Amino acid sequence: MIEEIKKSALNNKVPIMKDEGIEFLISFIKENKIKDILEIGTAVGYSAIRMASVSKDIKVTSIERDQERYLEAVKNIKQAKLEDRVDLIFNDALNVKLNSKFDLIFIDAAKGKNIEFFENFEKNLKSGGYIITDNLKFHGYVDMNLEDIESRNIRGLVRKIRKYVEFLKENKKYQTEFLELGDGISVSKLKD
Ligand code: SAM
């Protein structure tokens, strides 16, 4: 079933996590005994289902602002029989205020807004918890010279992703590791 969701997402050009990235995330959840996860950017629920399937005591809250994708995710979560453990929120994540605390916040939404997502939700992170962000390489563009990137939009995104990387490096409340996996992943641990 999960393979069908993945295939359908790829056929419909819905961006989902790359294999290497999702395999890392799953091992990370297992190794660190992560139980409560907040995901920013559900798309059609592929990564939410993969994360919730790691163990029966995992709960995922995931936020999506695109209605068509959100509805597809609702359908997929139901089909995976995970409605009790995957809570989907249809809204712009920057308008969402939550009270619960999470072991892991996974940021995988608009790539130019990582700092805003980080700042909106870090109060929801448990002490010693992690914030993981995907696509820090943005399909290789982040490592290119800006002059060699034709698209103005992509140049803008690259500037914002680089700014986010600097933000993480300078943020002394967190210890951040940058991994060359998938499309580039950061793991920021909130210091105790
Ligand atoms: N995590 C998903 C997976 O691997 O299966 C893929 C998520 S996809 C890369 C990013 C999603 O974030 C898109 O579906 C997009 O509509 C959503 N998104 C972008 N900005 C958002 C925002 N401000 N609030 C909520 N969702 C947002």
Side-chain angles (χ1 to χ4, degrees):
M1 195 213 77
I2 193 69
E3 280 309 310
E4 273 167 38
I5 295 173
K6 180 179 168 185
K7 215 162 117 190
S8 155
L10 296 174
N11 284 343
N12 293 306
K13 301 211 176 343
V14 173
I16 56 169
M17 272 203 105
K18 290 188 172 186
D19 289 345
E20 213 185 3
I22 195 80
E23 294 312 332
F24 163 76
L25 200 54
I26 285 170
S27 316
F28 186 89
I29 289 169
K30 284 183 190 161
E31 277 166 28
N32 294 284
K33 302 191 171 45
I34 301 288
K35 301 293 173 221
D36 293 303
I37 303 171
L38 172 64
E39 175 181 62
I40 322 296
T42 319
V44 294
Y46 172 71
S47 52
I49 293 174
R50 294 289 312 265
M51 293 190 287
S53 302
V54 170
S55 145
K56 286 203 161 40
D57 51 3
I58 291 180
K59 285 202 167 172
V60 180
T61 300
S62 185
I63 311 173
E64 174 58 53
R65 70 173 174 191
D66 179 283
Q67 189 171 27
E68 203 181 320
R69 289 183 184 171
Y70 162 78
L71 291 173
E72 186 70 21
V74 170
K75 197 186 88 194
N76 289 334
I77 301 295
K78 202 168 170 201
Q79 219 174 48
K81 299 193 172 31
L82 287 169
E83 308 101 298
D84 294 350
R85 294 196 288 113
V86 179
D87 189 13
L88 298 179
I89 300 174
F90 171 47
N91 205 340
D92 187 311
L94 295 177
N95 295 330
V96 176
K97 302 283 172 224
L98 298 172
N99 293 319
S100 3
K101 295 256 184 187
F102 300 89
D103 303 303
L104 169 66
I105 298 177
F106 172 46
I107 303 180
D108 190 20
K111 305 302 162 190
K113 294 205 172 144
N114 286 334
I115 296 182
E116 287 96 320
F117 296 135
F118 192 106
E119 290 182 334
N120 192 36
F121 293 108
E122 64 172 331
K123 63 177 183 313
N124 298 103
L125 194 61
K126 289 182 195 169
S127 169
Y130 299 89
I131 298 183
I132 293 187
T133 313
D134 193 26
N135 302 107
L136 295 186
K137 286 180 167 289
F138 199 63
H139 318 296
Y141 284 112
V142 175
D143 294 332
M144 284 173 69
N145 288 325
L146 282 179
E147 312 82 73
D148 296 332
I149 302 173
E150 271 181 36
S151 156
R152 197 164 165 255
N153 280 349
I154 295 181
R155 280 201 302 274
L157 270 182
V158 165
R159 280 195 196 93
K160 286 181 177 161
I161 294 171
R162 287 180 183 167
K163 208 169 147 198
Y164 181 61
V165 169
E166 285 314 306
F167 163 85
L168 293 178
K169 284 182 181 168
E170 285 165 9
N171 196 329
K172 300 293 171 229
K173 285 198 284 172
Y174 295 81
Q175 176 73 45
T176 298
E177 260 189 88
F178 296 92
L179 307 173
E180 294 287 316
L181 289 167
D183 196 23
I185 290 177
S186 61
V187 179
S188 307
K189 181 177 170 56
L190 179 60
K191 295 178 188 167
D192 292 318

PDB file of all heavy atoms in Angstrom, residues 148-165:
ATOM      1  N   ASP A 148      25.167  31.182 -11.576  1.00  0.00           N
ATOM      2  CA  ASP A 148      24.922  30.081 -12.514  1.00  0.00           C
ATOM      3  C   ASP A 148      23.481  29.567 -12.453  1.00  0.00           C
ATOM      4  O   ASP A 148      23.110  28.656 -13.184  1.00  0.00           O
ATOM      5  CB  ASP A 148      25.879  28.912 -12.221  1.00  0.00           C
ATOM      6  CG  ASP A 148      27.325  29.313 -12.454  1.00  0.00           C
ATOM      7  OD1 ASP A 148      27.548  30.212 -13.290  1.00  0.00           O
ATOM      8  OD2 ASP A 148      28.210  28.753 -11.790  1.00  0.00           O
ATOM      9  N   ILE A 149      22.678  30.129 -11.542  1.00  0.00           N
ATOM     10  CA  ILE A 149      21.281  29.678 -11.431  1.00  0.00           C
ATOM     11  C   ILE A 149      20.400  30.655 -12.211  1.00  0.00           C
ATOM     12  O   ILE A 149      20.336  31.843 -11.884  1.00  0.00           O
ATOM     13  CB  ILE A 149      20.843  29.623  -9.948  1.00  0.00           C
ATOM     14  CG1 ILE A 149      21.764  28.685  -9.157  1.00  0.00           C
ATOM     15  CG2 ILE A 149      19.391  29.176  -9.822  1.00  0.00           C
ATOM     16  CD1 ILE A 149      21.530  28.675  -7.654  1.00  0.00           C
ATOM     17  N   GLU A 150      19.760  30.144 -13.257  1.00  0.00           N
ATOM     18  CA  GLU A 150      18.988  31.034 -14.135  1.00  0.00           C
ATOM     19  C   GLU A 150      17.732  31.585 -13.477  1.00  0.00           C
ATOM     20  O   GLU A 150      17.414  32.754 -13.601  1.00  0.00           O
ATOM     21  CB  GLU A 150      18.583  30.281 -15.404  1.00  0.00           C
ATOM     22  CG  GLU A 150      19.637  30.389 -16.486  1.00  0.00           C
ATOM     23  CD  GLU A 150      19.216  29.666 -17.740  1.00  0.00           C
ATOM     24  OE1 GLU A 150      18.018  29.684 -18.064  1.00  0.00           O
ATOM     25  OE2 GLU A 150      20.106  29.059 -18.362  1.00  0.00           O
ATOM     26  N   SER A 151      17.002  30.695 -12.765  1.00  0.00           N
ATOM     27  CA  SER A 151      15.704  31.101 -12.221  1.00  0.00           C
ATOM     28  C   SER A 151      15.855  32.037 -11.006  1.00  0.00           C
ATOM     29  O   SER A 151      16.549  31.715 -10.037  1.00  0.00           O
ATOM     30  CB  SER A 151      14.917  29.850 -11.823  1.00  0.00           C
ATOM     31  OG  SER A 151      13.968  30.160 -10.840  1.00  0.00           O
ATOM     32  N   ARG A 152      15.170  33.183 -11.105  1.00  0.00           N
ATOM     33  CA  ARG A 152      15.219  34.170 -10.019  1.00  0.00           C
ATOM     34  C   ARG A 152      14.605  33.577  -8.747  1.00  0.00           C
ATOM     35  O   ARG A 152      15.109  33.794  -7.641  1.00  0.00           O
ATOM     36  CB  ARG A 152      14.404  35.384 -10.482  1.00  0.00           C
ATOM     37  CG  ARG A 152      14.666  36.621  -9.716  1.00  0.00           C
ATOM     38  CD  ARG A 152      14.140  37.828 -10.482  1.00  0.00           C
ATOM     39  NE  ARG A 152      14.093  38.949  -9.562  1.00  0.00           N
ATOM     40  CZ  ARG A 152      12.965  39.418  -9.039  1.00  0.00           C
ATOM     41  NH1 ARG A 152      11.808  38.886  -9.349  1.00  0.00           N
ATOM     42  NH2 ARG A 152      13.009  40.434  -8.198  1.00  0.00           N
ATOM     43  N   ASN A 153      13.505  32.804  -8.928  1.00  0.00           N
ATOM     44  CA  ASN A 153      12.836  32.185  -7.776  1.00  0.00           C
ATOM     45  C   ASN A 153      13.766  31.236  -7.043  1.00  0.00           C
ATOM     46  O   ASN A 153      13.836  31.230  -5.816  1.00  0.00           O
ATOM     47  CB  ASN A 153      11.618  31.371  -8.230  1.00  0.00           C
ATOM     48  CG  ASN A 153      10.443  32.270  -8.477  1.00  0.00           C
ATOM     49  OD1 ASN A 153      10.472  33.447  -8.114  1.00  0.00           O
ATOM     50  ND2 ASN A 153       9.416  31.723  -9.119  1.00  0.00           N
ATOM     51  N   ILE A 154      14.471  30.415  -7.820  1.00  0.00           N
ATOM     52  CA  ILE A 154      15.373  29.441  -7.188  1.00  0.00           C
ATOM     53  C   ILE A 154      16.532  30.176  -6.506  1.00  0.00           C
ATOM     54  O   ILE A 154      16.921  29.811  -5.395  1.00  0.00           O
ATOM     55  CB  ILE A 154      15.858  28.387  -8.205  1.00  0.00           C
ATOM     56  CG1 ILE A 154      14.649  27.557  -8.682  1.00  0.00           C
ATOM     57  CG2 ILE A 154      16.916  27.465  -7.588  1.00  0.00           C
ATOM     58  CD1 ILE A 154      14.938  26.465  -9.659  1.00  0.00           C
ATOM     59  N   ARG A 155      17.034  31.252  -7.134  1.00  0.00           N
ATOM     60  CA  ARG A 155      18.109  32.020  -6.476  1.00  0.00           C
ATOM     61  C   ARG A 155      17.611  32.545  -5.127  1.00  0.00           C
ATOM     62  O   ARG A 155      18.321  32.496  -4.120  1.00  0.00           O
ATOM     63  CB  ARG A 155      18.543  33.197  -7.352  1.00  0.00           C
ATOM     64  CG  ARG A 155      19.488  32.821  -8.480  1.00  0.00           C
ATOM     65  CD  ARG A 155      20.278  34.026  -8.978  1.00  0.00           C
ATOM     66  NE  ARG A 155      19.430  35.103  -9.445  1.00  0.00           N
ATOM     67  CZ  ARG A 155      18.920  35.221 -10.671  1.00  0.00           C
ATOM     68  NH1 ARG A 155      19.196  34.297 -11.579  1.00  0.00           N
ATOM     69  NH2 ARG A 155      18.164  36.239 -11.017  1.00  0.00           N
ATOM     70  N   GLY A 156      16.369  33.010  -5.081  1.00  0.00           N
ATOM     71  CA  GLY A 156      15.774  33.519  -3.835  1.00  0.00           C
ATOM     72  C   GLY A 156      15.684  32.428  -2.784  1.00  0.00           C
ATOM     73  O   GLY A 156      16.043  32.641  -1.617  1.00  0.00           O
ATOM     74  N   LEU A 157      15.258  31.240  -3.212  1.00  0.00           N
ATOM     75  CA  LEU A 157      15.133  30.114  -2.273  1.00  0.00           C
ATOM     76  C   LEU A 157      16.503  29.706  -1.733  1.00  0.00           C
ATOM     77  O   LEU A 157      16.655  29.438  -0.541  1.00  0.00           O
ATOM     78  CB  LEU A 157      14.528  28.908  -2.984  1.00  0.00           C
ATOM     79  CG  LEU A 157      13.022  28.792  -2.961  1.00  0.00           C
ATOM     80  CD1 LEU A 157      12.587  27.521  -3.657  1.00  0.00           C
ATOM     81  CD2 LEU A 157      12.532  28.750  -1.505  1.00  0.00           C
ATOM     82  N   VAL A 158      17.486  29.663  -2.643  1.00  0.00           N
ATOM     83  CA  VAL A 158      18.845  29.272  -2.235  1.00  0.00           C
ATOM     84  C   VAL A 158      19.370  30.244  -1.175  1.00  0.00           C
ATOM     85  O   VAL A 158      19.930  29.823  -0.155  1.00  0.00           O
ATOM     86  CB  VAL A 158      19.789  29.221  -3.466  1.00  0.00           C
ATOM     87  CG1 VAL A 158      21.248  29.175  -3.048  1.00  0.00           C
ATOM     88  CG2 VAL A 158      19.433  28.023  -4.345  1.00  0.00           C
ATOM     89  N   ARG A 159      19.135  31.545  -1.385  1.00  0.00           N
ATOM     90  CA  ARG A 159      19.581  32.534  -0.387  1.00  0.00           C
ATOM     91  C   ARG A 159      18.936  32.247   0.963  1.00  0.00           C
ATOM     92  O   ARG A 159      19.580  32.304   2.003  1.00  0.00           O
ATOM     93  CB  ARG A 159      19.183  33.951  -0.822  1.00  0.00           C
ATOM     94  CG  ARG A 159      20.120  34.528  -1.834  1.00  0.00           C
ATOM     95  CD  ARG A 159      19.906  36.051  -1.970  1.00  0.00           C
ATOM     96  NE  ARG A 159      20.542  36.504  -3.176  1.00  0.00           N
ATOM     97  CZ  ARG A 159      19.938  36.612  -4.361  1.00  0.00           C
ATOM     98  NH1 ARG A 159      18.649  36.335  -4.481  1.00  0.00           N
ATOM     99  NH2 ARG A 159      20.614  37.009  -5.419  1.00  0.00           N
ATOM    100  N   LYS A 160      17.628  31.911   0.938  1.00  0.00           N
ATOM    101  CA  LYS A 160      16.908  31.673   2.202  1.00  0.00           C
ATOM    102  C   LYS A 160      17.386  30.380   2.879  1.00  0.00           C
ATOM    103  O   LYS A 160      17.492  30.323   4.096  1.00  0.00           O
ATOM    104  CB  LYS A 160      15.401  31.621   1.957  1.00  0.00           C
ATOM    105  CG  LYS A 160      14.849  33.013   1.691  1.00  0.00           C
ATOM    106  CD  LYS A 160      13.377  32.983   1.475  1.00  0.00           C
ATOM    107  CE  LYS A 160      12.850  34.398   1.292  1.00  0.00           C
ATOM    108  NZ  LYS A 160      11.538  34.415   0.660  1.00  0.00           N
ATOM    109  N   ILE A 161      17.662  29.353   2.085  1.00  0.00           N
ATOM    110  CA  ILE A 161      18.146  28.095   2.688  1.00  0.00           C
ATOM    111  C   ILE A 161      19.532  28.327   3.299  1.00  0.00           C
ATOM    112  O   ILE A 161      19.821  27.863   4.402  1.00  0.00           O
ATOM    113  CB  ILE A 161      18.147  26.948   1.648  1.00  0.00           C
ATOM    114  CG1 ILE A 161      16.703  26.628   1.231  1.00  0.00           C
ATOM    115  CG2 ILE A 161      18.824  25.700   2.213  1.00  0.00           C
ATOM    116  CD1 ILE A 161      16.560  25.675   0.058  1.00  0.00           C
ATOM    117  N   ARG A 162      20.375  29.078   2.593  1.00  0.00           N
ATOM    118  CA  ARG A 162      21.705  29.377   3.168  1.00  0.00           C
ATOM    119  C   ARG A 162      21.566  30.166   4.467  1.00  0.00           C
ATOM    120  O   ARG A 162      22.311  29.960   5.424  1.00  0.00           O
ATOM    121  CB  ARG A 162      22.533  30.178   2.160  1.00  0.00           C
ATOM    122  CG  ARG A 162      23.018  29.325   1.007  1.00  0.00           C
ATOM    123  CD  ARG A 162      23.833  30.135   0.033  1.00  0.00           C
ATOM    124  NE  ARG A 162      24.238  29.317  -1.098  1.00  0.00           N
ATOM    125  CZ  ARG A 162      24.740  29.788  -2.222  1.00  0.00           C
ATOM    126  NH1 ARG A 162      24.892  31.093  -2.386  1.00  0.00           N
ATOM    127  NH2 ARG A 162      25.102  28.984  -3.190  1.00  0.00           N
ATOM    128  N   LYS A 163      20.607  31.077   4.493  1.00  0.00           N
ATOM    129  CA  LYS A 163      20.377  31.876   5.711  1.00  0.00           C
ATOM    130  C   LYS A 163      19.929  30.953   6.858  1.00  0.00           C
ATOM    131  O   LYS A 163      20.338  31.134   8.009  1.00  0.00           O
ATOM    132  CB  LYS A 163      19.278  32.911   5.411  1.00  0.00           C
ATOM    133  CG  LYS A 163      19.389  34.155   6.225  1.00  0.00           C
ATOM    134  CD  LYS A 163      18.459  35.226   5.718  1.00  0.00           C
ATOM    135  CE  LYS A 163      17.981  36.055   6.890  1.00  0.00           C
ATOM    136  NZ  LYS A 163      16.801  36.825   6.624  1.00  0.00           N
ATOM    137  N   TYR A 164      19.100  29.966   6.524  1.00  0.00           N
ATOM    138  CA  TYR A 164      18.628  29.007   7.544  1.00  0.00           C
ATOM    139  C   TYR A 164      19.806  28.207   8.099  1.00  0.00           C
ATOM    140  O   TYR A 164      19.911  27.996   9.308  1.00  0.00           O
ATOM    141  CB  TYR A 164      17.569  28.078   6.930  1.00  0.00           C
ATOM    142  CG  TYR A 164      17.003  27.066   7.904  1.00  0.00           C
ATOM    143  CD1 TYR A 164      16.323  27.473   9.047  1.00  0.00           C
ATOM    144  CD2 TYR A 164      17.140  25.696   7.670  1.00  0.00           C
ATOM    145  CE1 TYR A 164      15.791  26.549   9.941  1.00  0.00           C
ATOM    146  CE2 TYR A 164      16.600  24.763   8.556  1.00  0.00           C
ATOM    147  CZ  TYR A 164      15.936  25.198   9.690  1.00  0.00           C
ATOM    148  OH  TYR A 164      15.413  24.283  10.574  1.00  0.00           O
ATOM    149  N   VAL A 165      20.708  27.792   7.204  1.00  0.00           N
ATOM    150  CA  VAL A 165      21.887  27.027   7.644  1.00  0.00           C
ATOM    151  C   VAL A 165      22.713  27.885   8.613  1.00  0.00           C
ATOM    152  O   VAL A 165      23.150  27.412   9.671  1.00  0.00           O
ATOM    153  CB  VAL A 165      22.727  26.550   6.430  1.00  0.00           C
ATOM    154  CG1 VAL A 165      24.069  25.996   6.870  1.00  0.00           C
ATOM    155  CG2 VAL A 165      21.942  25.502   5.625  1.00  0.00           C
TER     156      VAL A 165
END
